[in-house]
Amino acid sequence: MMDWTDRHDRYFLRLISRYALLYTEMVTTGAILHGERARFLAFDPAEQPIGLQLGGSEPEALSQAAKAGENFGYQEINLNVGCPSDRVQRGRFGACLMEEPELVADCISAMQDGVAIPVTVKCRIGVDDRDNYEDLAEFVECVAARGCRTFVIHARKAWLSGLSPKENREIPPLDYARVFRLKRDFPDLEIIINGGITDLDQADEHLSEGVDGVMLGRAAYQNPYILAEVDQRFFGAKEEAPSREEVALAFADYAREQMDEGVPLKSMTRHILGLFNGLPGARAWRRHLSEEAHKPGASAEIIADALEERQAAATPRSNFEERVAIY
């Protein structure tokens, strides 16, 4: 989710669900330790609960980065050992670390020594030829022995060469049964399932198999209103979810405030294009935001304008209007 789940997207998603745990995009230790920390770590308090996802392979650097995240107020630090991109592999982190469980264990131990908040791992079910269940169980057992209690498992293996990151999300077959087996064999660990989950009915099905949670990725980005039922369905919330229109207008207020701080409008509106996916007028909504947000002098009012464009496109026209449109 690099370059996707930035602070503006997370604020937007939080307007839809109050209780779902949100994660940052993966942030490298180098960016935190040698860059402008606030740029990579700052977030709006409204985004809570939120976890920081780190990428790295040096225990001491990860410990320092985790401590920085805790100081900024994150509630969890997650080590990503599941990303298969070439860029990540060149930095010796991401999915390639599944081939070095002892190193991952050292990293987890160092991170836990530095913070008081939970330290978790996100991984794949396998990597390259280390893709049988025994390899996965060995990896989990090794890392858990050093104190990690929560594993987010993407139910696909990763190919470190030969497939692009996009292909690694689509070509390796999903094997949910392997994750369910892992939970049965490690009942004391918290096992979160991820990968290819597109709706809340599927999430329910996975939970019924015994896993402790479900992580949504691209489905929640591309169709964000999927989160509207999460609070009531899984957290027992009584209040109704906000409508799509209410979410859009609340985000417009946020965008105005951010623009006053110098944030370009287009860097925020790109995250809300999928709000009306699957509904009449969705194309008009996307088109208006895409065409207008980048223009000089564009204001947050274009969000309200896009709502009007969507409504107009979604409203059935009379026979007379149809004839006028034709002729």
Side-chain angles (χ1 to χ4, degrees):
M1 303 298 287
M2 294 176 70
D3 300 324
W4 287 25
T5 51
D6 64 16
R7 59 183 302 180
H8 309 302
D9 178 57
R10 297 192 305 266
Y11 188 95
F12 167 60
L13 295 178
R14 184 57 73 215
L15 293 172
I16 303 173
S17 170
R18 177 61 257 162
Y19 301 110
L21 175 64
L22 301 179
Y23 285 92
T24 68
E25 56 194 327
M26 183 173 64
V27 184
T28 66
T29 55
I32 294 173
L33 301 183
H34 307 298
E36 184 183 349
R37 289 191 179 183
R39 174 187 170 193
F40 296 102
L41 296 180
F43 61 89
D44 192 295
E47 295 173 43
Q48 292 281 21
I50 182 174
L52 169 64
Q53 187 173 100
L54 292 177
S57 60
E58 298 176 3
E60 179 58 29
L62 280 164
S63 178
Q64 294 180 36
K67 185 62 177 179
E70 182 181 47
N71 290 339
F72 266 81
Y74 288 94
Q75 296 187 4
E76 174 187 325
I77 307 296
N78 178 265
L79 177 62
N80 186 312
V81 295
C83 181
S85 77
D86 292 340
R87 179 172 54 168
V88 166
Q89 291 180 54
R90 287 195 296 270
R92 195 169 170 245
F93 53 91
C96 64
L97 286 179
M98 290 196 70
E99 297 180 323
E100 302 181 72
E102 290 289 348
L103 175 57
V104 175
D106 289 342
C107 291
I108 290 296
S109 181
M111 294 164 72
Q112 289 181 323
D113 288 345
V115 300
I117 57 178
V119 176
T120 65
V121 166
K122 184 175 189 294
C123 66
R124 294 277 184 138
I125 58 172
V127 56
D128 288 346
D129 294 327
R130 288 178 58 89
D131 69 339
N132 58 45
Y133 177 76
E134 289 69 28
D135 291 325
L136 175 62
E138 177 186 343
F139 173 85
V140 169
E141 185 173 32
C142 178
V143 178
R146 303 293 285 276
C148 183
R149 310 312 301 165
T150 300
F151 292 81
V152 182
I153 314 289
H154 186 140
R156 284 188 176 93
K157 66 174 289 184
W159 284 107
L160 298 182
S161 61
L163 295 181
S164 69
K166 181 178 185 298
E167 290 170 331
N168 260 300
R169 295 192 300 270
E170 299 171 350
I171 293 178
L174 287 160
D175 190 349
Y176 296 131
R178 189 177 299 188
V179 184
F180 302 150
R181 180 182 174 185
L182 192 72
K183 177 59 186 178
R184 291 194 298 270
D185 290 349
F186 295 89
D188 295 333
L189 297 180
E190 185 177 46
I191 303 297
I192 314 297
I193 197 167
N194 169 242
I197 302 165
T198 59
D199 60 52
L200 299 188
D201 288 338
Q202 289 180 328
D204 251 337
E205 292 173 7
H206 292 318
L207 291 171
S208 71
E209 294 285 348
V211 294
D212 301 288
V214 175
M215 174 185 277
L216 299 179
R218 280 159 180 79
Y221 189 90
Q222 294 163 350
N223 186 22
Y225 203 68
I226 191 178
L227 299 180
E229 294 182 28
V230 163
D231 293 356
Q232 295 78 16
R233 193 162 176 173
F234 299 110
F235 294 95
K238 301 302 181 184
E239 63 272 17
E240 291 186 6
S243 68
R244 289 176 171 85
E245 290 76 14
E246 289 171 332
V247 169
L249 293 175
F251 190 75
D253 292 337
Y254 168 80
R256 291 187 194 95
E257 296 174 359
Q258 292 297 307
M259 290 182 71
D260 289 341
E261 299 296 324
V263 178
L265 180 62
K266 63 182 180 180
S267 68
M268 295 180 281
T269 54
R270 70 187 180 98
H271 297 304
I272 67 175
L273 297 177
L275 181 58
F276 291 92
N277 271 2
L279 295 183
R283 182 179 299 178
W285 162 261
R286 293 193 301 268
R287 181 176 61 245
H288 189 80
L289 292 175
S290 299
E291 292 177 352
E292 300 299 324
H294 72 281
K295 292 182 178 179
S299 74
E301 300 306 319
I302 74 160
I303 296 176
D305 295 340
L307 284 176
E308 293 182 2
E309 292 284 337
R310 189 209 74 83
Q311 184 59 44
T315 302
R317 293 185 291 185
S318 68
N319 290 336
F320 173 76
E321 290 173 320
E322 291 287 357
R323 291 195 298 273
V324 170
I326 293 173
Y327 294 106

